Amino acid sequence: MTHSDLQALAHRSQDLLAAVRRDAPLVQCLTNFVSMNYAANAVLAIGASPAMVHAEQEAPEFARIAGAVVINIGTLSAPWLDSMLLTAAAAGQAGTPWVLDPVAHHATGFRRDAIRRLLDLKPTIIRGNASEIIALAGGQSAGRGVDARDAVAQAEQSALDIAVRRQTVVAVTGEVDFVTDGTRSVRIGGGSPLMPRVTATGCALTAVVGAFAAVSRDDPYAAAVAALSCFGIAGQRAHTQAQGPGSFAWRFLDALAGLEADCLTRESPLH
């Protein structure tokens, strides 16, 4: 991307953060037991409103009124999968953007079948680590469970392939993030080496991506870039004062809440 392209994208991110803070979109999260609290707090910190509605009896109906839906398969079970499939279908019918986090989808046959069925329901954005994205494209990853053991650079071609084949936006997160819609691509720096040592940081990011997708329905690529940029800047800020993963976890939430909209242009991590 040219310098002017990066500047324009940074300004778009700034506008989207302001829109999230102004509109406080309702983000429905069907996420895992481990991440529920931290993800909800991250959504609140960025300025949106979380709704952890996942029961089959109400989640599909709720998807029709939510600003965005987030589906995370971290602690998957058969009843949760049934609800996820119905909710993703309802979101698609209602035109509600939905974000898929394919946590450790390659680890078991149950997960592989679940992710195949969810992908067929056309997620607006997919957010995963490098190992998950490589495996999602059909490659051989070094991932073990939820851990990423591949570099983001190794997953960039996989992300491009998925984006083109599935007509979606793919965000690969790691030391340097990569976002693509198959035509446009950008890398995003920032963050902290402590982030992988805090449970649910990635899941929280996926939920925040949902908040931005809710205010950028016409351009989910810009939504993903804005969300990852906010995490990159907040991670850098929190890292400067953290003594370890425990103090980083709460400092990071404070940093997210304290982001000024113009920091996305002043401290842009895009390159």
Side-chain angles (χ1 to χ4, degrees), residues 23-62:
D23 299 344
L26 184 61
V27 184
Q28 180 184 2
C29 300
L30 288 78
T31 191
N32 63 72
F33 291 119
V34 178
S35 72
M36 277 189 188
N37 181 263
Y38 199 74
N41 282 332
V43 171
L44 287 169
I46 206 65
S49 178
M52 318 312 270
V53 178
H54 63 264
E56 179 182 340
Q57 292 77 8
E58 63 173 348
E61 179 183 355
F62 200 90

Side-chain angles (χ1 to χ4, degrees), residues 160-224:
L160 285 161
D161 292 345
I162 295 167
V164 171
R165 187 167 72 247
R166 295 285 180 176
Q167 295 186 310
T168 188
V169 172
V170 180
V172 192
T173 53
E175 191 170 334
V176 176
D177 304 331
F178 179 75
V179 181
T180 184
D181 64 359
T183 301
R184 299 170 292 175
S185 300
V186 68
R187 296 180 182 88
I188 305 171
S192 163
L194 290 171
M195 294 175 95
R197 298 176 62 192
V198 176
T199 299
T201 304
C203 301
L205 171 55
T206 305
V208 169
V209 170
F212 281 89
V215 298
S216 185
R217 293 190 176 206
D218 62 327
D219 193 352
Y221 170 78

Side-chain angles (χ1 to χ4, degrees), residues 5 65 72 74 79 92 95 110 120 159-160 166 177 192 206 225 229 234 247 250:
D5 288 337
I65 63 170
N72 175 309
F110 178 51
D120 286 344
L160 285 161
R166 295 285 180 176
D177 304 331
S192 163
T206 305
V225 171
S229 296
S247 59
W250 64 262

Side-chain angles (χ1 to χ4, degrees), residues 27 77 108:
V27 184
S77 66
T108 66

